[in-house]
Amino acid sequence: MFKNVIVRVPSATISEGITSAHEGKPIYTKALMQHENYVSALTKTGVNVTVLEPHDEFPDSCFVEDVALCTSKCAIITRPGALSRRKEAALPDMLEALKGFYEHIEYIKDPGTVEAGDIMMVGDHFYIGLSARTNQAGADQMISILEKYGLSGQVVPLKKVLHLKTGLAYLENNNLLVAGEFKDDPEFAKFNKIEIDEDEAYGANCIWVNGYVLVPAGYPKVQKKIEDLGYKVLVVDTSEFRKIDGGLSCLSLRF
């Protein structure tokens, strides 16, 4: 069960965020509205939401998931692989917020790079994607820190997707949404895999929160598959964030 969530309000500069999508630039006012609806959906799951102020100098800073990994034992401040995002991990308000919840805070150091969008938590075990944003040195440091606290981790090489959780979502109870390159990955053979069709691949980025699953709007096949598993579904529009390579999980830290 999750008790707490941290989010950051999108900045007025969100249209300058990093993107590989070809969907146009996000509209700031629309992104704000979608973010408010996202927070509203989270509160329905019974969590306490801490809302941090926007940072206009960091267009991608609403994607708070990448700058920290929140575990049951400690918080780990990452070192983003994207240069334009590296200073986000050192923003004082995020550090203060995490210190309010955690006694133990660890840090990924140079030459390691990690973005926690590459990390999927399954109980006390963490799958860490090796990507353009998360390197072997960063993954090694992350696993070493996890093991220090009695947790564990393993690396998963990525071939195409930006982040590990672009194509995977763990919904508890051994249920795993899988899209694209992960469908046949032997690392995930033990899970009950719910395969996502190519035309709805973006919809694979869902989040489980206390028995609810937040699902992006516009992916009816994904939604039905999750409902068929018996979960309570909350549909949230993230279309403005998709324009800068963001999804549901990217927008919050959940612990």
Side-chain angles (χ1 to χ4, degrees):
M1 297 288 282
F2 294 122
K3 294 180 181 177
N4 300 294
V5 169
I6 298 174
V7 301
R8 187 184 295 284
V9 177
S11 65
T13 55
I14 190 171
S15 63
E16 306 310 312
I18 305 167
T19 184
S20 61
H22 302 285
E23 311 223 356
K25 289 183 177 291
I27 299 162
Y28 172 55
T29 52
K30 202 171 171 187
L32 276 181
M33 192 181 305
Q34 289 182 0
H35 195 266
E36 286 175 10
N37 292 337
Y38 176 74
V39 172
S40 176
L42 285 167
T43 59
K44 288 175 185 172
T45 71
V47 294
N48 167 59
V49 183
T50 299
V51 181
L52 303 181
E53 293 297 309
H55 266 278
D56 287 353
E57 65 200 286
F58 300 113
D60 294 289
S61 57
C62 59
F63 300 132
V64 291
E65 178 178 61
D66 288 320
V67 300
L69 180 68
C70 293
T71 78
S72 58
K73 307 285 179 66
C74 65
I76 303 161
I77 305 297
T78 67
R79 186 169 178 268
L83 281 172
S84 64
R85 301 198 62 193
R86 197 156 289 171
K87 290 180 180 176
E88 285 179 40
L91 287 171
D93 59 347
M94 174 60 78
L95 202 51
E96 283 307 305
L98 289 170
K99 283 179 177 176
F101 295 108
Y102 284 98
E103 181 184 353
H104 302 290
I105 295 184
E106 305 278 351
Y107 297 84
I108 300 297
K109 299 179 175 68
D110 187 25
T113 64
V114 175
E115 292 185 8
D118 276 322
I119 303 178
M120 181 175 73
M121 178 177 73
V122 177
D124 288 335
H125 187 69
F126 294 78
Y127 291 89
I128 304 168
L130 293 180
S131 69
R133 306 287 185 84
T134 297
N135 65 17
Q136 185 71 54
D140 289 345
Q141 287 182 43
M142 185 63 74
I143 291 170
S144 177
I145 293 167
L146 290 169
E147 289 176 347
K148 175 181 167 183
Y149 290 93
L151 308 171
S152 59
Q154 72 182 81
V155 298
V156 180
L158 305 189
K159 301 180 186 78
K160 297 176 183 175
V161 292
L162 173 66
H163 283 139
L164 183 78
K165 282 189 289 201
T166 305
L168 288 173
Y170 184 58
L171 305 182
E172 304 298 319
N173 307 313
N174 206 47
N175 293 321
L176 184 70
L177 298 187
V178 291
E181 67 191 73
F182 300 112
K183 289 183 179 180
D184 302 315
D185 192 323
E187 295 285 5
F188 305 108
K190 68 177 184 181
F191 293 97
N192 174 38
K193 293 191 287 187
I194 299 93
E195 295 195 0
I196 305 304
D197 295 344
E198 197 60 41
D199 64 335
E200 288 199 2
Y202 176 83
N205 185 252
C206 297
I207 50 174
W208 177 95
V209 188
N210 301 343
Y212 291 85
V213 177
L214 275 65
V215 178
Y219 303 91
K221 289 187 284 185
V222 174
Q223 182 180 339
K224 185 177 187 308
K225 286 182 177 184
I226 294 169
E227 287 172 341
D228 287 349
L229 289 168
Y231 295 103
K232 293 173 281 190
V233 166
L234 297 169
V235 177
V236 182
D237 189 355
T238 54
S239 55
E240 295 307 300
F241 301 99
R242 181 179 181 175
K243 294 174 182 177
I244 50 171
D245 298 339
L248 282 167
S249 72
C250 318
L251 289 164
S252 60
L253 291 168
R254 304 163 299 281
F255 53 98

